């Protein structure tokens, strides 16, 4: 049986964060009553003319600069003609031959730490269509045009990904980047970040690509993984059964985990693209370009490098902390509040992440905010509590039992015992009952010492300062 290679290219529709639409002044706010946010332009009333939204252009340029792309200083809007109830004009305004952003790329990091550069073909500005609504109707459909004219940046990759893993890593990296740049809110449930995944397979070693099928509108990383896995095994099975893959657009059904052809893919020719006579060429001026360059935030890659050099973090920890903007800012807020950076990093990647995952919360929703975590870590560093007790304090803070780190330590009597008189007394009591361990230790078994220290810790209900206990026990047994 032949070995198969998977080939994947992604087209991602990112909804830009402008307050108003791409060619009209209507609001882009999500969730309004149907057709309350559609102006004459969005409704395609005869004679209504589009006016370019500067904010959408700025966001596209920001993206292009972030990925090292060429910014076309003069790009063209085109009409993409097709007929569908949610498209009142009968065409979508998009960019075809000359998009605003061309080339560039993103570096992705896979689970095993390997990196790969994903080349982008282009990113172009376009308007979203409206939405057909079926649920509230019996034997008829409604059309909601609130979404018509919402600004999108469609970001297209070259067919350079070779596995579902790479495709997901790319989609996640892109998702992080657009949120870093604050050009898209990334809300996948509301459709602000939708991926079309083009998949083909070819025998390992073959130069030509196989015929692709395009899985439309995936709005979660989990579905993306499932859809690609299914599609790949389906295509391989088809070819091995002697059938040919037909180019098609397919939909993923989350209930069955299967992909199903929606329509055979139209030729690009069918859209009868032509330059939109209502819109002049889009010009990015020197002034605009310079202003946006000056306003670029620190990007994930640069932040990762800085985290490891400035705070002495491992590359892996720095990468995990810099991948999304909220985690990065949580980390730096905690460090700036005075706590040790490495300890803070360990806590975020350990307890904080585990608790967030368990409750399916984002770091912005963490009940333990950055300053509180910083205070907790500071109490470990200054010897007030041990690491182990700190977990108890963390849990109490997480469940909202007390308002501050010190209040929890106080209320629960968790303060570490560092008073040597008190510690010596506990050690003496434990030693009095540990003849066997003492004999073992004197016979050269280091482990016996650890077990005595363990008993002392237990006797102090975890509150003894472990380093001090260690010293005292060693001294007494010497
Ligand atoms: P269209 O304009 O018809 O959507 P494009 O040529 O622009 O087609 O390609 C769309 C996407 O499909 C791009 O992301 C590209 O990388 C990807 N792609 C093209 N050919 C293949 C293939 N044989 N297998 C997988 N992906 C492909
Ligand atoms: Mg396409």
């Amino acid at each position: 049986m032949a070995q198969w290679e998977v080939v994947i290219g992604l087209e991602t529709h990112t909804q830009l964060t402008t307050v108003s639409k791409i060619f009209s002044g209507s609001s882009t706010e999500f969730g309004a009553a149907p057709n309350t946010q559609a102006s004459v332009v969005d409704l395609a009333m005869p004679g209504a003319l589009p006016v370019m939204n500067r904010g959408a252009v700025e966001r596209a340029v920001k993206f292009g600069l972030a990925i090292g792309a060429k910014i076309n200083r003069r790009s063209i809007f085109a009409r993409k003609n097709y007929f569908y109830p949610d498209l009142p004009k009968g065409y979508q305004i998009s960019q075809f031959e000359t998009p605003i952003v061309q080339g560039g790329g993103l570096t992705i990091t896979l689970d095993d730490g390997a990196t790969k550069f994903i080349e982008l073909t282009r990113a172009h500005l376009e308007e979203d269509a409206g939405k057909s609504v079926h649920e509230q109707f019996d034997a008829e459909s409604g059309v909601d045009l609130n979404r018509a004219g919402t600004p999108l940046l469609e970001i297209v990759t070259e067919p350079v990904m070779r596995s579902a893993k790479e495709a997901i890593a790319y989609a996640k990296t892109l998702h992080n980047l657009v949120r870093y740049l604050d050009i898209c809110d990334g809300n996948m449930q509301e459709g602000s970040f939708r991926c079309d995944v083009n998949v083909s397979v070819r025998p390992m070693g073959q130069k030509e690509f196989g015929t692709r099928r395009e899985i439309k509108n995936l709005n979660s990383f989990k579905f993306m993984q499932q859809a690609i896995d299914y599609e790949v095994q389906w295509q391989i099975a088809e070819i091995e059964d002697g059938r040919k893959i037909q180019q098609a657009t397919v939909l993923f059904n989350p209930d069955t985990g299967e992909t199903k052809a929606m329509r055979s893919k139209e030729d690009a020719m069918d859209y009868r693209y032509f330059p939109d006579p209502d819109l002049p060429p889009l010009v990015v001026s020197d002034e605009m370009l310079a202003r946006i360059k000056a306003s670029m935030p620190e990007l994930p890659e640069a932040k990762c490098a800085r985290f490891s050099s400035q705070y002495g973090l491992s590359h892996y920890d720095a990468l995990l902390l810099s991948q999304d903007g909220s985690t990065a800012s949580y980390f730096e807020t905690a460090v700036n509040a005075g706590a040790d950076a490495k300890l803070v990093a360990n806590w975020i990647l350990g307890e904080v992440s585990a608790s967030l995952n368990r409750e399916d919360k984002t770091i912005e929703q963490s009940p333990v905010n950055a300053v509180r975590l910083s205070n907790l870590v500071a109490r470990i560093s200054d010897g007030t509590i041990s690491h182990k007790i700190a977990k108890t304090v963390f849990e109490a803070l997480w469940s909202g039992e007390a308002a501050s780190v010190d209040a929890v330590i106080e209320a629960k009597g968790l303060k570490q015992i560092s008073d040597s008189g008190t510690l010596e007394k506990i050690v003496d009591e434990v030693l009095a009952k540990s003849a066997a361990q003492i004999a073992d230790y004197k016979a050269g078994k280091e482990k016996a010492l650890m077990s005595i220290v363990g008993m002392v810790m237990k006797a102090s209900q975890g509150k003894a300062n472990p380093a001090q206990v260690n010293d005292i026990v060693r001294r007494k047994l010497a």
Side-chain angles (χ1 to χ4, degrees), residues 22 46 71 108 110 119 122 165 167 175 189 208 216 220 242 251 254 258 260 273 305 341 355 372 413 439:
I22 187 167
I71 308 293
I108 61 169
L110 300 160
E119 285 96 356
R122 58 191 276 151
K165 277 203 169 79
H175 188 243
Q189 284 85 48
E208 301 75 35
K216 275 277 178 205
S220 95
L251 283 182
E258 295 177 1
K260 211 171 170 169
Y273 279 100
S355 306
R372 205 166 272 185

mmCIF file of all heavy atoms in Angstrom, residues 22 46 71 108 110 119 122 165 167 175 189 208 216 220 242 251 254 258 260 273 305 341 355 372 413 439:
data_model
loop_
_atom_site.group_PDB
_atom_site.id
_atom_site.type_symbol
_atom_site.label_atom_id
_atom_site.label_comp_id
_atom_site.label_asym_id
_atom_site.label_seq_id
_atom_site.Cartn_x
_atom_site.Cartn_y
_atom_site.Cartn_z
ATOM 1 N N ILE A 22 -17.403 48.061 6.534
ATOM 2 C CA ILE A 22 -16.278 48.389 5.654
ATOM 3 C C ILE A 22 -16.614 49.489 4.642
ATOM 4 O O ILE A 22 -15.763 50.291 4.287
ATOM 5 C CB ILE A 22 -15.720 47.119 4.958
ATOM 6 C CG1 ILE A 22 -14.434 47.435 4.170
ATOM 7 C CG2 ILE A 22 -16.757 46.451 4.059
ATOM 8 C CD1 ILE A 22 -13.657 46.213 3.727
ATOM 9 N N PRO A 46 -30.479 50.924 -4.915
ATOM 10 C CA PRO A 46 -29.915 51.527 -6.139
ATOM 11 C C PRO A 46 -29.381 52.931 -5.839
ATOM 12 O O PRO A 46 -30.036 53.711 -5.150
ATOM 13 C CB PRO A 46 -31.115 51.597 -7.084
ATOM 14 C CG PRO A 46 -32.056 50.555 -6.573
ATOM 15 C CD PRO A 46 -31.859 50.496 -5.095
ATOM 16 N N ILE A 71 3.350 45.462 1.395
ATOM 17 C CA ILE A 71 2.099 46.224 1.430
ATOM 18 C C ILE A 71 1.941 46.855 0.051
ATOM 19 O O ILE A 71 2.768 47.691 -0.342
ATOM 20 C CB ILE A 71 2.148 47.367 2.482
ATOM 21 C CG1 ILE A 71 2.591 46.843 3.863
ATOM 22 C CG2 ILE A 71 0.806 48.108 2.538
ATOM 23 C CD1 ILE A 71 1.620 45.911 4.520
ATOM 24 N N ILE A 108 5.527 28.756 12.968
ATOM 25 C CA ILE A 108 4.739 27.996 13.935
ATOM 26 C C ILE A 108 5.673 27.084 14.735
ATOM 27 O O ILE A 108 6.733 26.701 14.258
ATOM 28 C CB ILE A 108 3.644 27.133 13.256
ATOM 29 C CG1 ILE A 108 4.268 26.101 12.301
ATOM 30 C CG2 ILE A 108 2.652 28.011 12.526
ATOM 31 C CD1 ILE A 108 3.275 25.052 11.810
ATOM 32 N N LEU A 110 5.647 23.435 16.786
ATOM 33 C CA LEU A 110 4.854 22.220 17.012
ATOM 34 C C LEU A 110 5.087 21.710 18.432
ATOM 35 O O LEU A 110 5.973 22.192 19.135
ATOM 36 C CB LEU A 110 5.246 21.169 15.970
ATOM 37 C CG LEU A 110 4.971 21.669 14.552
ATOM 38 C CD1 LEU A 110 5.769 20.910 13.523
ATOM 39 C CD2 LEU A 110 3.476 21.567 14.244
ATOM 40 N N GLU A 119 4.467 30.078 4.636
ATOM 41 C CA GLU A 119 4.365 31.209 3.711
ATOM 42 C C GLU A 119 2.908 31.589 3.465
ATOM 43 O O GLU A 119 2.070 30.702 3.253
ATOM 44 C CB GLU A 119 4.990 30.869 2.344
ATOM 45 C CG GLU A 119 6.489 30.859 2.323
ATOM 46 C CD GLU A 119 7.046 29.452 2.509
ATOM 47 O OE1 GLU A 119 6.246 28.519 2.736
ATOM 48 O OE2 GLU A 119 8.286 29.312 2.431
ATOM 49 N N ARG A 122 -1.341 35.848 0.428
ATOM 50 C CA ARG A 122 -1.921 37.188 0.393
ATOM 51 C C ARG A 122 -2.888 37.384 1.538
ATOM 52 O O ARG A 122 -3.304 36.417 2.178
ATOM 53 C CB ARG A 122 -2.693 37.361 -0.908
ATOM 54 C CG ARG A 122 -3.797 36.285 -1.032
ATOM 55 C CD ARG A 122 -4.410 36.253 -2.403
ATOM 56 N NE ARG A 122 -5.474 37.247 -2.530
ATOM 57 C CZ ARG A 122 -5.817 37.833 -3.674
ATOM 58 N NH1 ARG A 122 -5.187 37.506 -4.778
ATOM 59 N NH2 ARG A 122 -6.789 38.703 -3.717
ATOM 60 N N LYS A 165 -1.792 18.549 12.396
ATOM 61 C CA LYS A 165 -1.078 19.216 13.501
ATOM 62 C C LYS A 165 -0.519 20.564 13.056
ATOM 63 O O LYS A 165 -0.639 21.557 13.767
ATOM 64 C CB LYS A 165 0.083 18.341 13.978
ATOM 65 C CG LYS A 165 -0.323 17.272 14.954
ATOM 66 C CD LYS A 165 0.896 16.846 15.777
ATOM 67 C CE LYS A 165 0.471 15.971 16.930
ATOM 68 N NZ LYS A 165 0.200 14.589 16.532
ATOM 69 N N ALA A 167 -1.527 22.373 10.540
ATOM 70 C CA ALA A 167 -2.635 23.284 10.218
ATOM 71 C C ALA A 167 -3.200 23.905 11.484
ATOM 72 O O ALA A 167 -3.472 25.113 11.537
ATOM 73 C CB ALA A 167 -3.726 22.538 9.449
ATOM 74 N N HIS A 175 -4.381 33.060 15.094
ATOM 75 C CA HIS A 175 -5.411 33.506 16.032
ATOM 76 C C HIS A 175 -4.781 34.377 17.127
ATOM 77 O O HIS A 175 -5.298 35.448 17.470
ATOM 78 C CB HIS A 175 -6.088 32.259 16.623
ATOM 79 C CG HIS A 175 -7.294 32.527 17.453
ATOM 80 N ND1 HIS A 175 -7.351 32.211 18.784
ATOM 81 C CD2 HIS A 175 -8.491 33.087 17.146
ATOM 82 C CE1 HIS A 175 -8.541 32.554 19.271
ATOM 83 N NE2 HIS A 175 -9.246 33.090 18.297
ATOM 84 N N GLN A 189 -16.878 31.512 18.276
ATOM 85 C CA GLN A 189 -18.316 31.177 18.353
ATOM 86 C C GLN A 189 -19.139 32.202 17.583
ATOM 87 O O GLN A 189 -20.128 31.875 16.945
ATOM 88 C CB GLN A 189 -18.829 31.152 19.801
ATOM 89 C CG GLN A 189 -18.423 29.930 20.587
ATOM 90 C CD GLN A 189 -17.050 30.118 21.206
ATOM 91 O OE1 GLN A 189 -16.778 31.142 21.809
ATOM 92 N NE2 GLN A 189 -16.175 29.150 21.021
ATOM 93 N N GLU A 208 3.489 16.438 -8.135
ATOM 94 C CA GLU A 208 2.247 17.188 -8.357
ATOM 95 C C GLU A 208 1.326 17.018 -7.151
ATOM 96 O O GLU A 208 1.284 15.967 -6.532
ATOM 97 C CB GLU A 208 1.500 16.686 -9.607
ATOM 98 C CG GLU A 208 2.275 16.778 -10.903
ATOM 99 C CD GLU A 208 3.354 15.708 -11.025
ATOM 100 O OE1 GLU A 208 3.123 14.574 -10.546
ATOM 101 O OE2 GLU A 208 4.439 16.015 -11.553
ATOM 102 N N LYS A 216 -15.277 24.029 4.510
ATOM 103 C CA LYS A 216 -15.693 25.414 4.751
ATOM 104 C C LYS A 216 -15.974 25.717 6.209
ATOM 105 O O LYS A 216 -16.489 24.874 6.948
ATOM 106 C CB LYS A 216 -17.004 25.678 3.988
ATOM 107 C CG LYS A 216 -16.793 26.082 2.546
ATOM 108 C CD LYS A 216 -16.511 27.570 2.474
ATOM 109 C CE LYS A 216 -16.235 28.020 1.050
ATOM 110 N NZ LYS A 216 -15.422 29.232 1.014
ATOM 111 N N SER A 220 -13.872 26.017 15.201
ATOM 112 C CA SER A 220 -13.181 25.631 16.434
ATOM 113 C C SER A 220 -11.986 24.777 16.042
ATOM 114 O O SER A 220 -11.991 24.103 15.003
ATOM 115 C CB SER A 220 -14.106 24.886 17.401
ATOM 116 O OG SER A 220 -13.988 23.484 17.238
ATOM 117 N N GLY A 242 -9.846 3.074 -6.073
ATOM 118 C CA GLY A 242 -9.812 3.279 -7.512
ATOM 119 C C GLY A 242 -10.647 4.456 -8.000
ATOM 120 O O GLY A 242 -10.826 4.642 -9.188
ATOM 121 N N LEU A 251 -18.700 20.388 3.791
ATOM 122 C CA LEU A 251 -19.031 20.886 5.134
ATOM 123 C C LEU A 251 -18.736 19.792 6.146
ATOM 124 O O LEU A 251 -18.919 18.606 5.868
ATOM 125 C CB LEU A 251 -20.510 21.255 5.208
ATOM 126 C CG LEU A 251 -20.918 22.573 4.568
ATOM 127 C CD1 LEU A 251 -22.404 22.808 4.776
ATOM 128 C CD2 LEU A 251 -20.117 23.742 5.155
ATOM 129 N N PRO A 254 -20.368 18.260 12.874
ATOM 130 C CA PRO A 254 -19.795 17.918 14.184
ATOM 131 C C PRO A 254 -20.530 16.739 14.841
ATOM 132 O O PRO A 254 -19.933 16.028 15.637
ATOM 133 C CB PRO A 254 -19.997 19.177 15.022
ATOM 134 C CG PRO A 254 -20.302 20.261 14.051
ATOM 135 C CD PRO A 254 -20.915 19.620 12.859
ATOM 136 N N GLU A 258 -18.192 13.719 10.206
ATOM 137 C CA GLU A 258 -17.893 13.477 8.794
ATOM 138 C C GLU A 258 -17.946 14.757 7.965
ATOM 139 O O GLU A 258 -18.610 15.721 8.332
ATOM 140 C CB GLU A 258 -18.907 12.477 8.226
ATOM 141 C CG GLU A 258 -18.784 11.106 8.876
ATOM 142 C CD GLU A 258 -19.837 10.128 8.382
ATOM 143 O OE1 GLU A 258 -20.650 10.500 7.512
ATOM 144 O OE2 GLU A 258 -19.823 8.990 8.877
ATOM 145 N N LYS A 260 -18.959 16.330 4.157
ATOM 146 C CA LYS A 260 -19.879 15.974 3.078
ATOM 147 C C LYS A 260 -19.878 17.059 2.012
ATOM 148 O O LYS A 260 -19.911 18.247 2.345
ATOM 149 C CB LYS A 260 -21.293 15.848 3.661
ATOM 150 C CG LYS A 260 -22.098 14.829 2.913
ATOM 151 C CD LYS A 260 -23.408 14.537 3.588
ATOM 152 C CE LYS A 260 -24.192 13.693 2.608
ATOM 153 N NZ LYS A 260 -25.350 13.101 3.149
ATOM 154 N N TYR A 273 -15.081 38.244 -11.982
ATOM 155 C CA TYR A 273 -14.456 39.359 -11.271
ATOM 156 C C TYR A 273 -14.231 40.530 -12.213
ATOM 157 O O TYR A 273 -13.810 40.351 -13.355
ATOM 158 C CB TYR A 273 -13.076 38.938 -10.765
ATOM 159 C CG TYR A 273 -13.071 38.134 -9.490
ATOM 160 C CD1 TYR A 273 -12.934 36.748 -9.516
ATOM 161 C CD2 TYR A 273 -13.142 38.773 -8.248
ATOM 162 C CE1 TYR A 273 -12.879 36.012 -8.337
ATOM 163 C CE2 TYR A 273 -13.089 38.048 -7.070
ATOM 164 C CZ TYR A 273 -12.961 36.662 -7.124
ATOM 165 O OH TYR A 273 -12.908 35.949 -5.970
ATOM 166 N N ALA A 305 11.531 36.076 22.851
ATOM 167 C CA ALA A 305 12.983 36.259 22.980
ATOM 168 C C ALA A 305 13.301 37.132 24.191
ATOM 169 O O ALA A 305 14.222 36.856 24.965
ATOM 170 C CB ALA A 305 13.543 36.881 21.706
ATOM 171 N N ALA A 341 10.489 36.118 38.853
ATOM 172 C CA ALA A 341 9.947 35.802 37.531
ATOM 173 C C ALA A 341 9.837 34.302 37.273
ATOM 174 O O ALA A 341 8.838 33.826 36.729
ATOM 175 C CB ALA A 341 10.785 36.471 36.448
ATOM 176 N N SER A 355 -5.934 25.103 36.734
ATOM 177 C CA SER A 355 -7.230 25.513 37.278
ATOM 178 C C SER A 355 -8.109 26.143 36.201
ATOM 179 O O SER A 355 -9.318 25.922 36.161
ATOM 180 C CB SER A 355 -7.037 26.511 38.430
ATOM 181 O OG SER A 355 -6.164 25.967 39.387
ATOM 182 N N ARG A 372 -2.380 39.294 42.816
ATOM 183 C CA ARG A 372 -2.586 38.344 43.904
ATOM 184 C C ARG A 372 -1.608 37.168 43.790
ATOM 185 O O ARG A 372 -1.060 36.713 44.779
ATOM 186 C CB ARG A 372 -4.039 37.857 43.838
ATOM 187 C CG ARG A 372 -4.548 37.376 45.160
ATOM 188 C CD ARG A 372 -6.044 37.237 45.135
ATOM 189 N NE ARG A 372 -6.715 38.473 45.499
ATOM 190 C CZ ARG A 372 -8.040 38.559 45.638
ATOM 191 N NH1 ARG A 372 -8.793 37.509 45.419
ATOM 192 N NH2 ARG A 372 -8.596 39.693 45.976
ATOM 193 N N GLY A 413 -4.077 29.959 59.738
ATOM 194 C CA GLY A 413 -2.902 29.649 60.546
ATOM 195 C C GLY A 413 -1.862 28.869 59.759
ATOM 196 O O GLY A 413 -1.334 27.858 60.215
ATOM 197 N N ALA A 439 19.059 4.599 63.143
ATOM 198 C CA ALA A 439 20.063 3.538 62.942
ATOM 199 C C ALA A 439 20.416 3.420 61.458
ATOM 200 O O ALA A 439 21.589 3.342 61.086
ATOM 201 C CB ALA A 439 19.519 2.211 63.467
#
